[in-house]
C-alpha cells in the first residue's frame, strides 16, 4: 500500500500536478536498495535548450565501468569530506588547482550525460582551509565559453569575487586566472563555489563545489562527531527549460552515496543546495535534526525540525544523534525531485539516499 502511494505521487508530479509530499517512502527506498545497476544504451546529452551559450548537441558520452566506479568513489569521498590536497608554496601559501572542462558523467542507471565540471568531477572537489591561511586557487578554463568562480558567502576582495566585469573579466576559453585571498574569521563555515558566468546553465551543468572554512582551532565538540557533506544538485535533460534531474553528490538514487554509522554516533551533516533554481525540503525518516548553522553562520537558538527547507544557493548544517538502529531514507519531500527521467527500469530515484545505523 505504501509503495503504491509513493508511485502515485511520483507519477502525479511527472504529469504536472506539482510537488506532492511523499508518504511511505521508506519501504520504496529499502526495496530499491538491492536494485541492480547497469550501464546501458539509453544515454542522452544534458543541454539547456533555452541557452544559446550552451554546448552544441553532440552524441552522448560512452563511459567504461571503471569510470563509473570512480565516479561512485568520488561521491562517497565527497560525503566523507575528503578534500583536495593543496600545494604548499614558499611562505606557506596553499595553492589549489581547478580545471573547468566538459566530460561524460553517469548520473544514474543507463543514463550518461555531458557535464561541465572542475577536475573531471560533479560537483567539483572539496576545498578545505582554515582561518589565517593564505590561499591561491588557480583556475584553468578548457571550456568552449568563458567562466568564473564566485566564492559564495565569503567576503573576499572585490577583484577575487568572480563576478564578470566587477572588475575582472571572465576567464576566456584556454585562459587561466589565479584567485588570491587570506581566510578570515568571517568565512568560517560551510560555503560553496560556482560559476558566475551564464550561471543558470553552467551551475546546473556541474560547475560548482564546496569550500569549508574551519576555525584555527576546531572546537572539542567537533572531534567527537561524524562530519559528512551532501551536495544537492540538478540538471536539465531533453531540452527541458527547468531542472528535471536531481542528484546528491553528483549521483541520483540508487547510485547516491550511502552513510553508515554506529548507534550513538552524533552526525554533523552539511547540506548544500547547489541547484540554480529549485527549492528542496529534506527529511530523514525516523529522525528529527537540529539546525546549527545556515550559510556558515551558527544559529544562536538552534531549532529542531523534521524537514529542512533549503533554497537555491543556501547551505544548512544540521546535527542529530543516531540512536535508532536500522536503515533510514534521507530524501527531498518534493515528489518531482524523486524522478529519474529516461530510466527504463524504474523512474523513482533522484534526490534520495540511505542512512544505515548499525548496533
Amino acid at each position: 500500500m505504501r509503495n503504491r502511494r509513493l508511485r502515485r505521487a511520483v507519477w502525479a508530479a511527472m504529469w504536472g500536478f506539482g510537488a506532492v509530499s511523499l508518504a511511505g517512502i521508506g519501504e520504496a527506498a529499502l526495496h530499491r536498495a538491492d536494485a541492480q545497476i547497469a550501464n546501458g544504451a539509453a544515454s542522452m546529452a544534458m543541454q539547456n535548450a533555452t541557452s544559446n551559450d550552451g554546448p552544441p548537441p553532440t552524441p552522448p558520452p560512452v563511459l567504461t565501468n571503471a569510470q563509473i566506479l570512480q565516479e561512485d568513489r568520488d561521491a562517497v569521498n565527497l560525503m566523507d569530506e575528503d578534500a583536495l590536497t593543496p600545494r604548499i608554496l614558499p611562505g606557506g601559501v596553499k595553492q589549489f588547482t581547478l580545471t573547468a572542462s566538459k566530460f561524460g558523467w553517469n548520473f544514474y542507471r543507463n543514463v550518461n550525460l555531458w557535464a561541465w565540471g572542475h577536475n573531471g568531477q560533479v560537483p567539483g572537489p572539496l576545498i578545505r582551509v582554515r582561518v589565517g591561511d593564505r590561499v591561491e586557487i588557480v583556475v584553468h578554463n578548457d571550456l568552449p565559453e568563458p567562466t568564473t568562480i564566485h566564492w559564495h558567502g565569503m567576503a573576499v576582495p572585490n577583484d577575487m569575487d568572480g563576478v564578470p566585469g566587477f572588475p575582472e573579466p571572465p576567464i576566456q576559453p584556454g585562459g587561466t586566472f589565479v584567485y588570491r585571498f587570506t581566510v578570515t574569521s568571517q568565512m568560517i563555515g560551510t560555503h560553496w563555489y560556482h560559476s558566475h558566468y551564464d550561471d543558470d546553465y553552467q551551475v546546473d551543468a556541474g560547475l560548482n563545489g564546496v569550500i569549508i572554512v574551519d576555525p584555527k582551532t576546531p572546537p572539542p565538540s567537533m572531534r567527537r562527531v561524524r562530519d559528512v557533506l551532501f551536495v544537492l544538485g540538478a540538471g536539465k535533460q531533453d531540452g527541458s527549460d527547468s531542472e528535471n534531474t536531481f542528484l546528491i553528490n553528483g549521483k541520483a538514487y540508487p547510485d547516491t552515496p550511502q552513510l553508515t554509522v554506529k548507534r550513538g554516533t552524533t552526525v554533523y551533516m552539511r547540506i548544500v543546495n547547489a541547484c540554480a533554481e529549485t527549492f528542496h525540503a529534506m527529511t530523514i525518516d525516523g529522525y528529527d535534526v537540529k539546525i546549527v548553522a545556515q550559510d556558515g553562520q551558527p544559529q544562536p537558538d538552534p531549532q529542531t525540525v523534521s524537514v529542512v527547507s533549503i533554497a537555491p544557493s543556501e547551505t544548512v548544517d544540521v546535527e542529530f544523534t543516531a540512536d535508532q538502529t536500522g536503515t533510514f531514507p534521507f530524501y527531498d519531500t518534493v515528489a518531482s525531485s524523486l524522478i529519474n527521467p529516461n530510466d527504463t527500469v524504474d523512474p523513482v530515484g533522484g534526490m534520495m539516499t540511505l542512512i544505515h545505523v548499525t548496533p
Side-chain angles (χ1 to χ4, degrees):
M1 175 63 73
R2 300 178 74 191
N3 256 347
R4 288 198 295 272
R5 286 202 299 269
L6 167 64
R7 293 183 184 280
R8 281 199 297 269
V10 173
W11 283 113
M14 293 174 70
W15 282 101
F17 290 116
V20 182
S21 178
L22 296 182
I25 193 170
E27 288 188 14
L30 297 178
H31 177 72
R32 290 269 299 191
D34 295 327
Q36 296 298 311
I37 303 168
N39 179 26
S43 306
M44 67 291 296
M46 174 181 284
Q47 183 175 357
N48 178 1
T50 64
S51 173
N52 294 325
D53 297 322
T58 53
V62 177
L63 299 173
T64 66
N65 288 335
Q67 288 175 306
I68 294 172
L69 287 174
Q70 183 58 55
E71 293 175 3
D72 293 341
R73 284 192 290 267
D74 289 339
V76 172
N77 290 340
L78 185 61
M79 177 186 70
D80 291 336
E81 299 181 0
D82 185 8
L84 187 63
T85 301
R87 177 186 178 194
I88 308 300
L89 302 181
V93 174
K94 292 183 177 180
Q95 184 187 76
F96 301 87
T97 300
L98 298 176
T99 300
S101 65
K102 176 182 175 180
F103 49 87
W105 193 262
N106 177 255
F107 284 79
Y108 48 85
R109 170 186 30 234
N110 299 331
V111 176
N112 297 337
L113 306 172
W114 288 112
W116 292 15
H118 298 104
N119 295 13
Q121 296 176 222
V122 176
L126 171 65
I127 296 174
R128 193 158 200 161
V129 293
R130 63 180 53 202
V131 173
D133 285 347
R134 288 179 296 150
V135 174
E136 283 190 3
I137 302 173
V138 182
V139 180
H140 304 296
N141 183 10
D142 288 345
L143 297 168
E145 70 179 37
T147 193
T148 69
I149 291 186
H150 170 65
W151 311 99
H152 198 102
M154 300 172 61
V156 301
N158 199 41
D159 57 351
M160 298 289 115
D161 200 34
V163 180
F166 292 93
E168 295 297 320
I171 310 167
Q172 297 299 316
T176 297
F177 185 80
V178 182
Y179 294 90
R180 295 183 174 92
F181 54 87
T182 298
V183 180
T184 67
S185 58
Q186 177 277 333
M187 302 176 185
I188 292 174
T190 307
H191 303 287
W192 70 302
Y193 61 87
H194 59 86
S195 171
H196 226 315
Y197 182 93
D198 190 16
D199 40 337
D200 183 66
Y201 177 82
Q202 291 196 4
V203 171
D204 280 344
L207 287 169
N208 63 78
V210 174
I211 180 166
I212 296 175
V213 177
D214 295 314
K216 276 190 176 181
T217 304
S221 59
M222 288 300 291
R223 300 171 192 163
R224 299 190 298 271
V225 306
R226 178 74 183 275
D227 196 332
V228 295
L229 172 63
F230 288 112
V231 183
L232 313 181
K236 300 172 181 178
Q237 279 196 57
D238 300 332
S240 173
D241 188 46
S242 58
E243 296 167 342
N244 64 357
T245 304
F246 294 95
L247 316 164
I248 296 178
N249 291 9
K251 291 288 182 173
Y253 189 81
D255 298 343
T256 45
Q258 300 183 14
L259 175 64
T260 300
V261 296
K262 288 187 177 181
R263 183 176 179 177
T265 301
T266 297
V267 180
Y268 191 94
M269 181 185 293
R270 303 172 191 263
I271 308 172
V272 177
N273 187 354
C275 301
E277 302 169 357
T278 307
F279 179 103
H280 299 290
M282 307 300 295
T283 193
I284 305 172
D285 270 2
Y287 280 97
D288 291 338
V289 298
K290 186 192 321 182
I291 297 178
V292 294
Q294 290 185 281
D295 295 321
Q297 302 302 309
Q299 297 301 289
D301 183 22
Q303 301 295 307
T304 298
V305 299
S306 59
V307 177
V308 179
S309 300
I310 181 167
S313 299
E314 284 190 335
T315 75
V316 178
D317 295 2
V318 303
E319 191 174 270
F320 68 96
T321 298
D323 55 6
Q324 308 172 68
T325 59
T327 295
F328 305 91
F330 171 56
Y331 62 96
D332 188 0
T333 59
V334 180
S336 56
S337 296
L338 299 174
I339 298 167
N340 285 344
N342 300 295
D343 189 327
T344 57
V345 177
D346 188 345
V348 179
M351 196 170 282
M352 175 169 62
T353 190
L354 302 177
I355 298 174
H356 308 281
V357 182
T358 60

